[in-house]
Amino acid sequence: MDKLLPRFAQKVNGRYVLDYDDVVARMKDYLDQKDREREVRAFALDVLRSRGFGEDAARKWLQRHRPEEAARSAT
């Protein structure tokens, strides 16, 4: 939580000022989005590997393309 707090709460006079419920809800939304992004990336890696890409090649491909494009990639 320490690393996320500066992203979601305002610091005034050296202390964070926050509405606990609001900050927690926004943090949860942020973390859920990051989880979805990781799932999409993992799925894209699986798709690329199933199409003959090696592990390193699949990772490199994902550095240059959006994970959603993996479904359309050619072998």
Side-chain angles (χ1 to χ4, degrees), residues 2-64:
D2 292 332
K3 292 182 180 181
L4 290 176
L5 193 55
R7 183 184 296 259
F8 297 102
Q10 182 181 9
K11 206 171 198 179
V12 177
N13 295 327
R15 294 182 166 251
Y16 288 105
V17 176
L18 57 100
D19 172 15
Y20 182 80
D21 293 333
D22 178 53
V23 169
V24 169
R26 290 187 341 192
M27 282 183 182
K28 183 176 179 343
D29 290 342
Y30 172 81
L31 293 172
D32 288 345
Q33 177 186 351
K34 290 296 182 183
D35 285 342
R36 284 190 299 274
E37 290 172 5
R38 274 191 285 279
E39 288 173 4
V40 169
R41 183 174 170 78
F43 178 74
L45 279 170
D46 289 342
V47 168
L48 292 170
R49 284 191 297 249
S50 73
R51 294 188 175 176
F53 283 75
E55 182 72 25
D56 292 337
R59 289 180 187 274
K60 189 67 159 184
W61 191 92
L62 282 173
Q63 288 176 357
R64 296 184 172 142

